[in-house]
């Protein structure tokens, strides 16, 4: 009977008896199509200590969370003294350097962070390329350990301006883990949307670290300007320990077993074989120009423009300043928090205008916001004017960072698999070089020609950056992603176009059609594609077909029973650790591929059922409790787990078959009684 059922739906018995699915699983990484590795030995003792029940799933999650934490800690450590730089070179704090010759106030203020950022810029190119060869985890660990040592050394050079600057540069060479982290994301994600989302999260962690480091500096202000360095070293020490135990290298099998979600074909990015150098240098030069333009907005509009206008001018005149020193510090560090909503908005903006379009818009927004702040900053210094300055700064800033958030996705798109770290390193080098040199150069301009002139130059640089990035608008990969139908609503080569069209339209299907549907969905599942999702028509459209549905119910039930017999036979005797777990991975992915479509069809089916009840005398509006009991009796639970696993799939399929068997028997009795 089983052989006859299989022949009816077009499945060979050899397919089931062999129990081997490797030849049909092209979407599963190569490691799983070869001999199974003893992955349990790779699960760290720390994961066991925290009772992570699923090593495949939890290892991936733990590794990604630790990657974010590592970026956060490195950002905190690298920017933890940012609010204190203007105080180090002035005469208002006892911990200030005795002298900063040959620099004046503005140039000295920006020379200190420039030393560190230059070190990061130089190292970013090499650490990215190094991680391509020796592994991402090893490089991140090396940078973390060196950063701990660097924080301690810099603390003991606090008495001399040039000694501090030199140590700032040397240990800045070990602060650039962001390009390595971005390369890690490029390694383990295949979906373009998910990759852009995770890159946005890393950027958010980075900017949160910038703000967090500044807030720590403000809170530790009473302990001195340099004491926050030790707090930064403590963060890096914690990050080092956690990276050692929790982070997993991209070539580890555990990172991929958990990625069961199917992505639409248009969302899966195919990496190029070689680098398009013209586009590469276009993005890099655009990033440098963008950083020069952004410097006029932040920090130049804050220091010296706002600092002099609302604070120092009042102090020198012996008056109470409108903006206190602590207020200046808080404004300068908390601005980075406004980048977080930008990271949430940017993926949607990329879909609407493309990555390159978002980049150009960010450049234009930077010029506009900077101009507004320049105008407000040159008005008479009043509390109202100061409030307007802060509001414009905080409302406008999130729209200016789209250009910086777009650089990493663009470079990831053109990076070959073996050069992801190198390409992201070039981006980090360009951005850190711009962030290092631009403030110092603009500080010199401000000392020589005035603050307003320096800011006007920055506005021009932002518009120039938009011009430099404009050619990227014509690159196909950087434009809007063309929206296509979900894979579960599409016809693939080799499939019966006429049959699938009827299935997707929600037309009436014969038992023979149902057998063909099972065969199509089975082939789709084995090739990593989602099952067909038929349209649910309105009840009014199918009201006249109720009789057909009833008359064909017997054959339909029997046909589906045969398909369940095939499924149960296929998984019976399968190795739970290998074959059955892979079947579950594919089956879950095929069923749950599109959550939005799942909810939409479920709601439509619920409406159909409600209309049917109302039209057939059940009065659901006054008998809801009774109808709920009837539904529970008619539809017993198969499983309440969110996904199928080797532990529950046998029971779930047998329960489904048992329920279907009861429906078939009841239907046959009704037909028999009608005949009598």
């Amino acid at each position: 009977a089983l052989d006859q059922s299989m022949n009816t739906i077009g499945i060979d018995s050899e397919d089931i008896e062999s129990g081997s699915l490797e030849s049909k699983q092209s979407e599963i990484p190569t490691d799983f199509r070869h001999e199974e590795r003893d992955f349990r030995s790779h699960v760290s003792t720390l994961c066991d200590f925290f009772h992570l029940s699923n090593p495949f799933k939890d290892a991936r999650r733990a590794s990604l969370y630790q990657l974010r934490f590592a970026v956060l800690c490195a950002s905190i450590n690298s920017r933890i003294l940012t609010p204190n730089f203007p105080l180090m070179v002035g005469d208002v704090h006892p911990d200030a350097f005795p002298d900063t010759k040959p620099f004046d106030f503005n140039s000295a203020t920006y020379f200190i962070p420039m030393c560190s950022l230059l070190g990061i810029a130089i190292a970013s190119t090499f650490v990215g390329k190094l991680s391509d060869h020796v592994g991402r985890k090893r490089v991140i660990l090396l940078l973390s350990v060196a950063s701990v040592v660097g924080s301690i050394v810099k603390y003991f050079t606090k008495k001399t301006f040039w000694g501090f600057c030199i140590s700032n540069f040397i240990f800045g060479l070990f602060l650039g883990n962001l390009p390595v982290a971005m390369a890690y994301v490029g390694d383990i994600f295949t979906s373009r949307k998910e990759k852009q989302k995770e890159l946005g999260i890393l950027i958010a962690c980075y900017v949160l670290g910038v703000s967090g480091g500044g807030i720590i500096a403000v809170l530790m202000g009473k302990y001195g300007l340099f004491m926050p360095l030790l707090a930064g070293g403590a963060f890096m020490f914690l990050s080092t320990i956690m990276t050692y135990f929790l982070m997993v290298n991209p070539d580890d099998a555990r990172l991929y077993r958990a990625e069961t979600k199917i992505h639409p074909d248009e969302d899966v990015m195919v990496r190029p074989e070689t680098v398009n150098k013209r586009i590469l240098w276009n993005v890099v030069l655009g990033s440098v120009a963008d950083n020069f333009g952004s410097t006029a907005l932040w920090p130049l509009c804050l220091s010296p423009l706002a600092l002099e206008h609302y604070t120092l001018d009042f102090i020198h005149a012996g008056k109470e300043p409108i903006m206190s020193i602590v207020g200046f510090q808080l404004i300068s560090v908390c601005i980075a928090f406004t980048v977080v909503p930008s990271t949430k908005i940017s993926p949607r903006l990329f879909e609407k205008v493309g990555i390159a379009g978002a980049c150009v818009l960010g450049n234009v927004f930077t010029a506009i916001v900077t101009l507004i702040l320049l105008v407000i900053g040159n008005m008479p210094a009043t509390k109202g004017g100061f409030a307007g300055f802060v509001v414009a700064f905080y409302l406008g800033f999130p729209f200016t960072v789209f250009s910086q958030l777009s650089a990493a996705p663009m470079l990831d798109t053109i990076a070959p698999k073996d050069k992801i770290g190198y390409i992201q390193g070039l981006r980090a080098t360009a951005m850190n070089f711009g962030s290092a040199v631009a403030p110092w150069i603009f500080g010199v301009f401000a000392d020589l020609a005035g603050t307003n002139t320096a800011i006007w130059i920055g506005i021009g640089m932002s518009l120039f950056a938009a011009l430099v990035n404009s050619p990227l608008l014509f690159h196909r990969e950087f434009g809007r992603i063309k929206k296509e139908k979900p894979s579960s609503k599409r016809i693939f080569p080799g499939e019966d176009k006429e049959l699938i069209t009827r299935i997707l339209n929600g037309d009436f299907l014969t038992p023979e059609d149902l057998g063909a549907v099972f065969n199509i969905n089975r082939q789709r599942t084995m090739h990593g594609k989602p099952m067909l999702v038929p349209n649910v028509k309105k009840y009014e459209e199918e009201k006249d077909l109720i009789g057909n549905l009833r008359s064909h119910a017997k054959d339909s039930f029997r046909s589906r029973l045969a398909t369940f017999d095939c499924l149960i036979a296929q998984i019976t005797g399968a190795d739970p650790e290998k074959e059955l777990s892979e079947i579950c991975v594919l089956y879950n992915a095929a069923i749950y591929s599109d959550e939005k479509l799942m909810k939409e069809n479920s709601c439509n089916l619920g409406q159909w059922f409600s209309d049917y009840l109302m039209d057939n005398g059940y009065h659901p509006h006054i008998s809801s409790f009774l109808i709920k009991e009837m539904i529970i009796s008619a539809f017993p639970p198969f499983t309440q787990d969110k996904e199928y696993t080797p532990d529950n799939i046998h029971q779930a399929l047998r329960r489904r078959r048992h329920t279907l068997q009861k429906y078939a028997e009841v239907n046959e009795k009704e037909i028999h009684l009608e005949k009598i």
Side-chain angles (χ1 to χ4, degrees):
L2 179 59
D3 289 338
Q4 185 177 0
S5 300
M6 290 188 297
N7 290 333
T8 301
I9 59 176
I11 298 178
D12 296 330
S13 59
E14 293 180 359
D15 291 338
I16 296 176
E17 293 173 357
S18 66
S20 178
L21 305 176
E22 285 84 346
S23 61
K24 299 181 179 180
Q25 298 180 15
S26 59
E27 298 297 323
I28 298 294
T30 307
D31 288 353
F32 310 125
R33 295 200 297 270
H34 298 310
E35 65 179 279
E36 180 77 349
R37 293 196 290 181
D38 185 12
F39 63 88
R40 297 184 187 277
S41 63
H42 295 291
V43 182
S44 70
T45 55
L46 188 60
C47 290
D48 293 334
F49 176 78
F50 283 114
H51 305 290
L52 302 181
S53 57
N54 184 341
F56 286 143
K57 187 174 182 178
D58 290 332
R60 180 183 178 90
R61 183 186 295 113
S63 189
L64 281 173
Y65 277 126
Q66 173 50 30
L67 184 72
R68 299 169 188 174
F69 183 69
V71 171
L72 176 70
C73 290
S75 177
I76 289 174
N77 188 49
S78 64
R79 302 300 181 96
I80 202 164
L81 293 183
T82 299
N84 296 343
F85 290 148
L87 305 179
M88 292 179 185
V89 299
D91 54 2
V92 297
H93 199 283
D95 285 348
F97 294 118
D99 68 82
T100 59
K101 294 180 181 179
F103 301 121
D104 292 327
F105 175 78
N106 288 319
S107 52
T109 298
Y110 296 123
F111 185 79
I112 300 172
M114 185 190 78
C115 295
S116 175
L117 290 172
L118 274 179
I120 298 174
I122 294 171
S124 293
T125 303
F126 299 104
V127 297
K129 189 173 183 179
L130 181 65
S131 71
D132 287 334
H133 296 286
V134 304
R136 316 293 185 204
K137 180 177 179 178
R138 290 181 179 177
V139 173
I140 290 179
L141 282 173
L142 171 64
L143 298 178
S144 299
V145 172
S147 296
V148 174
V149 177
S151 296
I152 299 172
V153 172
K154 286 193 289 185
Y155 178 79
F156 287 104
T157 60
K158 61 184 179 179
K159 295 297 184 181
T160 166
F161 174 75
W162 282 104
F164 185 81
C165 290
I166 292 171
S167 62
N168 223 17
F169 170 76
I170 293 174
F171 289 101
L173 296 169
F174 300 95
L175 291 176
N177 70 356
L178 185 59
V180 183
M182 289 182 167
Y184 186 94
V185 171
D187 289 331
I188 69 173
F189 283 98
T190 57
S191 165
R192 191 190 308 270
K193 291 181 180 178
E194 289 193 0
K195 185 179 299 184
Q196 291 175 358
K197 179 181 177 181
E198 186 61 33
L199 288 173
I201 291 174
L202 287 182
I203 296 294
C205 291
Y206 177 80
V207 298
L208 284 176
V210 172
S211 291
I215 291 173
I216 292 172
V218 174
L219 294 176
M220 297 182 68
K222 63 180 180 180
Y223 300 108
L225 296 179
F226 297 91
M227 186 60 71
L229 284 169
L230 301 182
F235 273 103
M236 292 308 302
F237 179 77
L238 177 61
S239 175
T240 303
I241 300 299
M242 294 182 67
T243 298
Y244 180 80
F245 283 105
L246 293 179
M247 190 172 176
V248 180
N249 270 317
D251 59 351
D252 194 295
R254 288 172 289 164
L255 290 178
Y256 302 94
R257 284 277 185 122
E259 193 182 23
T260 61
K261 184 177 179 181
I262 289 180
H263 309 290
D265 291 348
E266 68 274 8
D267 185 39
V268 177
M269 192 187 75
V270 179
R271 292 201 173 276
E273 296 292 331
T274 58
V275 180
N276 188 323
K277 293 184 178 180
R278 181 181 64 81
I279 295 176
L280 169 64
W281 291 112
N282 195 153
V283 175
V284 170
L285 292 176
S287 295
V288 173
D290 178 47
N291 272 274
F292 270 80
S294 298
T295 299
L297 173 63
W298 186 45
L300 218 60
C301 281
L302 275 182
S303 175
L305 181 62
L307 183 63
E308 290 179 346
H309 196 51
Y310 299 111
T311 303
L312 298 182
D313 289 348
F314 284 85
I315 293 176
H316 293 154
K319 300 179 181 179
E320 183 72 20
I322 295 176
M323 179 177 65
S324 66
I325 295 296
V326 174
F328 163 74
Q329 291 177 319
L330 289 175
I331 292 172
S332 64
V333 300
C334 291
I335 187 61
F337 284 123
T338 63
V339 179
V340 177
S342 301
T343 62
K344 297 292 185 181
I345 298 171
S346 58
R348 297 180 182 179
L349 185 64
F350 294 162
E351 291 182 9
K352 297 292 184 182
V353 302
I355 307 177
C359 181
V360 174
L361 281 176
N363 298 141
V364 175
F365 282 136
T366 301
I368 294 173
V369 174
T370 306
L371 178 61
I372 293 173
L373 294 178
L374 178 62
V375 172
I376 297 175
N378 280 276
M379 293 179 178
T382 63
K383 291 183 178 180
F386 172 66
F389 184 93
V390 174
V391 170
F393 188 40
Y394 271 75
L395 289 181
F397 194 80
F399 297 97
T400 67
V401 297
F402 291 135
S403 53
Q404 298 180 21
L405 294 175
S406 61
M410 284 194 288
L411 290 179
D412 183 78
T413 301
I414 65 171
K417 185 174 180 59
D418 60 340
K419 293 184 178 179
I420 301 175
Y422 170 69
I423 297 297
Q424 290 294 355
L426 285 179
R427 181 204 67 84
T429 296
M431 295 189 70
N432 284 305
F433 176 78
S435 299
V437 176
W440 182 73
I441 292 177
F442 278 104
V444 172
F445 281 152
D447 286 336
L448 296 176
T451 301
N452 289 351
T453 302
I455 293 177
W456 273 113
I457 294 173
I459 293 172
M461 286 299 300
S462 292
L463 296 177
F464 176 71
L467 185 64
V468 171
N469 288 319
S470 294
L472 300 174
L473 294 170
F474 303 100
H475 190 267
R476 180 173 55 86
E477 294 292 337
F478 299 158
R480 295 176 58 187
I481 300 176
K482 184 181 178 182
K483 287 191 175 182
E484 300 186 26
K485 292 181 180 179
S487 298
S488 53
K489 291 284 189 181
R490 290 161 55 191
I491 303 172
F492 293 102
E495 294 181 337
D496 188 333
K497 183 177 180 180
E498 187 273 332
L499 173 61
I500 294 182
T501 300
R502 289 197 293 116
I503 295 170
L504 297 179
N505 288 338
D507 295 339
F508 177 78
L509 300 176
T510 65
E512 291 77 14
D513 292 335
L514 292 176
V517 171
F518 171 79
N519 198 23
I520 292 171
N521 281 332
R522 179 179 179 276
Q523 292 297 322
R524 283 183 167 223
T525 300
M526 292 300 102
H527 288 85
K529 297 186 181 298
M531 294 184 181
L532 293 166
V533 178
N535 179 47
V536 179
K537 293 184 177 181
K538 294 181 179 180
Y539 172 73
E540 291 298 326
E541 297 179 37
E542 296 186 319
K543 185 175 180 179
D544 297 334
L545 298 175
I546 297 296
N548 288 341
L549 290 173
R550 193 191 309 276
S551 63
H552 287 88
K554 174 186 173 181
D555 294 334
S556 177
F557 290 149
R558 289 299 175 187
S559 175
R560 291 190 181 276
L561 281 171
T563 63
F564 278 109
D565 288 336
C566 292
L567 287 173
I568 293 171
Q570 183 176 355
I571 66 174
T572 300
D575 179 9
E577 291 293 337
K578 184 180 179 183
E579 297 169 349
L580 190 55
S581 62
E582 291 177 1
I583 291 173
C584 291
V585 165
L586 292 170
Y587 195 43
N588 289 326
I591 294 174
Y592 304 117
S593 62
D594 193 327
E595 186 175 350
K596 181 180 179 182
L597 196 58
M598 285 168 49
K599 292 181 179 179
E600 181 182 336
N601 263 30
S602 298
C603 290
N604 292 339
L605 184 59
Q607 186 62 51
W608 189 99
F609 187 57
S610 178
D611 293 342
Y612 170 81
L613 293 176
M614 183 67 75
D615 194 46
N616 287 273
Y618 284 87
H619 310 301
H621 61 293
I622 60 174
S623 307
S624 60
F625 194 79
L626 175 62
I627 289 174
K628 289 177 183 178
E629 292 177 328
M630 296 169 67
I631 291 175
I632 293 172
S633 300
F635 299 97
F638 301 141
T639 179
Q640 293 183 331
D641 296 330
K642 298 299 183 183
E643 292 184 343
Y644 290 104
T645 67
D647 296 328
N648 66 20
I649 190 169
H650 285 278
Q651 185 181 55
L653 290 179
R654 292 185 187 280
R655 285 180 175 177
R656 289 170 69 95
R657 191 199 182 285
H658 177 70
T659 302
L660 203 57
Q661 178 72 40
K662 290 200 301 183
Y663 282 137
E665 292 172 356
V666 170
N667 181 260
E668 289 175 359
K669 289 179 181 179
E670 290 179 350
I671 294 175
H672 180 66
L673 290 174
E674 287 177 0
K675 289 181 178 179
I676 294 177

